[in-house]
Amino acid sequence: MIKARVTVTLKNGVLDPQGKAIEGALGTLGFSGVAGVRQGKVFDLEVEGTDSAKAEADIKQMCERLLANTVIENYSISMS
Amino acid sequence: MKSAVVLVPGLNRDRDMIAALTKVSGHAPATLWQTETTLPEGLDLIVIPGGFSFGDYLRCGAIAARMPVMRAVADAAKRGVTVLGVCNGFQILVEAGMLPGALMRNTSLKFVCREVKLQVANANTAFTRQYAPNQIIRCPVAHHDGNYFAEPEELARLEGEGQVVFRYAEGTNPNGSINDIAGIMNASGNVLGLMPHPENLIESAHGGDDGRGIFESVLAKAA
């Protein structure tokens, strides 16, 4: 089994109202000096097989076609 | 007019849409379950109604957009069939790549359910011919993720080509949408997505019929 982690984040320049709300809440808790918060998503995938290169290529397609909306989001893949 | 309504688990405005289409056109629409790969012959209009398809999991509309029926809807749109997506239906069209841009969380982070004012930004479309240019109409909205976003170049193209069809007017933008965009169409002009719910304002029992013109415009084109 091949394991991989996909991280999806909002592109720079795309407003993240949820991140802003979290940033505000951190300030309310007394954490001063938080200059910015961007919320993202993490997907942990288990892919059958042993061909890591093929799995990574497949996961890239999964990101392009479903896991990320590339209009507003970037993604990164980390194979473990 | 021969119409059809797409059904996906979690959509909940399908009944309102079916009632509106039946009342305006005099014919009940066909229904298209998510697994269908072929559509009825001779459709003039396919509507994707509002709701919360697949519980808004992953991103609003993301999973519904990958269901088999949407491939059939995309093929029909390429052949020139008129397609209308309302609210979650708009999100599904965007996720399916049938309309540009993306719909993000409202800037208020709150679900908004209220009436807004819409400006008919382009009255020369298959969906808006029954309205006057720049006419202001009333329309209800009910959504959590209606904040339209497009890259600056894409936005300039949409504005330049008249693809912005409806805009929130008189300071009623409920979601922070860029350029007050409430509804856009594709370059061919046969696919429209909008966040507000015109199907809920089509007769006096609704308190007005400002939304009726969208359905009547499509009906006039089909006749």
Side-chain angles (χ1 to χ4, degrees):
Chain A
M1 201 71 82
I2 297 164
K3 293 189 177 182
R5 171 164 284 187
V6 171
T7 306
V8 175
T9 52
L10 279 175
K11 288 182 178 175
N12 288 334
V14 175
L15 179 71
D16 178 11
Q18 294 176 102
K20 282 276 173 216
I22 293 163
E23 186 183 329
L26 289 172
T28 306
L29 286 175
F31 293 103
S32 58
V34 177
V37 177
R38 305 282 282 170
Q39 181 177 316
K41 297 187 184 102
V42 169
F43 303 85
D44 286 325
L45 281 78
E46 293 184 34
V47 182
E48 289 175 353
T50 52
D51 185 344
S52 182
K54 181 187 179 302
E56 185 163 0
D58 286 347
I59 292 168
K60 187 168 190 304
Q61 282 302 306
M62 294 176 205
C63 291
E64 290 286 337
R65 294 180 57 191
L66 181 62
L67 299 181
N69 177 346
T70 54
V71 175
I72 49 170
E73 293 170 329
N74 291 320
Y75 61 86
S76 63
I77 303 167
S78 152
M79 308 295 292
S80 62
Chain B
M1 179 174 72
K2 200 168 170 191
S3 63
V5 172
V6 171
L7 299 181
V8 175
L11 292 179
N12 62 4
R13 297 300 191 101
D14 43 308
R15 288 189 183 197
D16 293 15
M17 189 58 77
I18 289 167
L21 288 167
T22 306
K23 282 179 176 169
V24 176
S25 75
H27 301 281
T31 52
L32 305 172
W33 182 239
Q34 56 168 342
T35 51
E36 292 187 39
T37 52
T38 53
L39 306 182
E41 288 293 311
L43 284 179
D44 299 302
L45 171 68
I46 302 169
V47 183
I48 311 170
F52 304 86
S53 57
F54 293 94
D56 283 347
Y57 291 175
L58 187 61
R59 298 177 303 274
C60 298
I63 300 191
R66 274 81 180 172
M67 290 296 114
V69 71
M70 285 310 298
R71 209 166 304 150
V73 171
D75 287 345
K78 277 193 200 118
R79 293 197 307 271
V81 176
T82 305
V83 177
L84 170 66
V86 169
C87 199
N88 195 205
F90 183 13
Q91 295 162 341
I92 292 169
L93 288 172
V94 165
E95 278 285 346
M98 292 172 65
L99 289 173
L103 287 151
M104 303 181 51
R105 183 56 44 102
N106 298 344
T107 49
S108 65
L109 295 176
K110 291 191 173 76
F111 188 94
V112 291
C113 182
R114 66 169 84 119
E115 187 175 293
V116 298
K117 296 281 178 60
L118 296 180
Q119 178 202 38
V120 181
N122 184 349
N124 185 27
T125 79
F127 304 92
T128 52
R129 290 215 173 88
Q130 302 289 319
Y131 297 111
N134 298 315
Q135 185 178 341
I136 305 289
I137 63 169
R138 300 161 49 212
C139 203
V141 295
H143 60 251
H144 207 161
D145 298 78
N147 177 2
Y148 185 78
F149 173 85
E151 295 283 350
E153 311 82 64
E154 184 72 53
L155 190 64
R157 203 184 54 75
L158 286 171
E159 294 282 3
E161 300 293 323
Q163 287 175 246
V164 177
V165 180
F166 291 104
R167 237 185 266 281
Y168 301 109
E170 300 178 6
T172 62
N173 184 341
N175 52 41
S177 179
I178 200 161
N179 289 15
D180 293 325
I181 287 172
I184 57 163
M185 64 179 184
N186 64 346
S188 315
N190 68 318
V191 178
L192 171 74
L194 76 166
M195 288 312 296
H197 287 276
E199 75 277 16
N200 290 139
L201 204 63
I202 63 150
E203 58 187 351
S204 54
H206 291 158
D209 63 358
D210 286 22
R212 200 176 173 97
I214 292 177
F215 301 100
E216 286 181 339
S217 296
V218 178
L219 184 64
K221 178 175 175 263

